[in-house]
Amino acid sequence: MSTAPPASLGSLLDRPDLVAAAVRLMRQPTALSELSASDAKCIVTYMRLLNCPEGGMLLREGEQDNVSDMLVILDGEVTVENVVADRAEPVVMSVLGPGHLIGEMALLDGGPRTATCTATTPLLGAVLSRNALRRLMSDEPAVASKLLVAILYRMTQRLRDATR
């Protein structure tokens, strides 16, 4: 397994072959299904492409630096681990694949990471940074508000699931 960090590959628009896939995957039930295709396409124009080798760490639980990105998995798998009370070793909470989101809470609040996410296969992702979100809010406020509502809807669903 590699320990190489993820590498930015530039604007997602530099890879037209991946734009349609990103739009489709962003609209999956595991991501932001409330978005229209045109809204998702607009958001994709603000995203950058990220490549992460197998074993590369995308996020580290508790990390407080560089915590303002949200990632949509385009290809590959990620394990999500948390340190649970009374345990020294992290517990795998889930394995995520194409169409899943990572980091949407930090995109909104810039708070510490709540999980460690590691690529279990080579990973390709589309990243929306907090700065890109701010540009989207300025340039396309209606689309940005739909994105924020979709993220909040997803977060409330997870909270409801966790309390059941």
Side-chain angles (χ1 to χ4, degrees):
M1 259 202 244
S2 170
T3 57
S8 179
L9 300 177
S11 171
L12 187 56
L13 296 179
D14 293 341
R15 293 282 307 271
D17 57 316
L18 295 176
V19 170
V23 168
R24 180 179 50 79
L25 291 168
M26 281 182 64
R27 298 184 65 230
Q28 296 290 315
T30 54
L32 305 168
S33 60
E34 298 77 21
L35 295 175
S36 70
S38 64
D39 293 336
K41 189 170 185 177
C42 178
I43 295 162
V44 164
T45 66
Y46 289 82
M47 298 178 98
R48 72 182 191 280
L49 196 56
L50 183 92
N51 183 43
C52 186
E54 179 180 350
M57 189 172 298
L58 294 158
L59 311 172
R60 183 183 310 273
E61 186 174 1
E63 183 177 39
Q64 295 183 331
D65 295 328
N66 303 315
V67 293
S68 62
D69 294 345
M70 175 183 78
L71 178 128
V72 178
I73 300 171
L74 301 178
D75 189 44
E77 288 187 343
V78 173
T79 59
V80 180
E81 299 176 317
N82 291 100
V83 174
V84 179
D86 299 327
R87 293 191 60 128
E89 295 296 316
V91 174
V92 174
M93 304 304 283
S94 60
V95 177
L96 306 177
H100 281 87
L101 293 181
I102 299 170
E104 64 275 19
M105 290 188 335
L107 177 70
L108 299 180
D109 72 0
R113 296 297 188 177
T114 59
T116 296
C117 296
T118 306
T120 54
T121 66
L123 182 103
L124 195 59
V127 175
L128 182 69
S129 69
R130 186 179 246 181
N131 286 336
L133 175 60
R134 287 187 184 119
R135 286 193 316 274
L136 177 66
M137 292 169 74
S138 175
D139 299 346
E140 301 285 344
V143 173
S145 67
K146 290 177 189 177
L147 171 62
L148 294 173
V149 167
I151 291 171
L152 291 172
Y153 177 74
R154 177 176 154 64
M155 290 170 59
T156 58
Q157 284 181 315
R158 282 192 300 176
L159 182 58
R160 284 192 176 105
D161 289 345
T163 58
R164 286 186 192 140

